[in-house]
Amino acid sequence: MSNVSELHATSSSAGEYLAFTLGQEEYGIDIQKVSEIRSYETPTRIANAPGFVKGVVNLRGIIVPIVDMRIKFNLGTPTYDQFTVVIILNIGHRVVGMVVDRVSDVTTLLPEQIKPAPEIGSALNTDHIVGLGTIEDRMLILVDIDKLMSSADMGLIESTALAA
């Protein structure tokens, strides 16, 4: 990966996104939020946690909550296989793990390749969708992972932690 100052210098003209799959759809998140990608291991359950919070893992001394995005997005019953991975994210001052079906690649998108998210109506909360990235015949649903992980229904990160 290139150094951080190079990434910041190019962010106004192009953005790098980690592409991953949930069910039949492909999503993308800002690569700068990703700390590492790990193979899936069953986390330790936490009593009274929402269904999409699978539990926690100990990552080099840091207790990391693990969120299953298929459950969060109501994409059916998740299956865990050799392709299932946990994307470790740095959001605000917290570390969070996100379970996805598989990771594809890191993609650079130019501003003209990103279309605004469609207005779907109030029945579906699309606040966390930045837009739709198009690369040839692929379409990535671009997710503002800060906004998603700090949303009130997630309950993982205080929005004040992002401002700090």
Side-chain angles (χ1 to χ4, degrees), residues 70-81:
R70 280 190 77 175
I71 297 171
K72 173 65 183 150
F73 290 159
N74 293 320
L75 296 173
T77 305
T79 55
Y80 304 101
D81 59 24

Side-chain angles (χ1 to χ4, degrees), residues 22-87:
L22 291 173
Q24 302 299 310
E25 304 303 326
E26 212 173 359
Y27 295 81
I29 57 172
D30 182 348
I31 191 68
Q32 295 180 45
K33 302 295 179 185
V34 176
S35 146
E36 64 183 282
I37 299 168
R38 303 173 52 86
S39 59
Y40 179 77
E41 60 186 66
T42 305
T44 303
R45 289 285 303 154
I46 301 293
N48 298 323
F52 55 83
V53 177
K54 297 299 290 178
V56 295
V57 296
N58 184 338
L59 181 64
R60 295 181 294 280
I62 300 169
I63 302 303
V64 179
I66 303 297
V67 175
D68 191 309
M69 298 310 286
R70 280 190 77 175
I71 297 171
K72 173 65 183 150
F73 290 159
N74 293 320
L75 296 173
T77 305
T79 55
Y80 304 101
D81 59 24
Q82 72 272 21
F83 299 110
T84 306
V85 295
V86 178
I87 301 170

Side-chain angles (χ1 to χ4, degrees), residues 97-126:
M98 178 172 86
V99 180
V100 300
D101 292 342
R102 54 194 40 82
V103 168
S104 328
D105 55 9
V106 175
T107 303
T108 301
L109 292 174
L110 300 171
E112 59 268 19
Q113 292 175 289
I114 301 173
K115 307 294 182 235
E119 294 293 325
I120 299 177
S122 61
L124 186 62
N125 182 355
T126 57

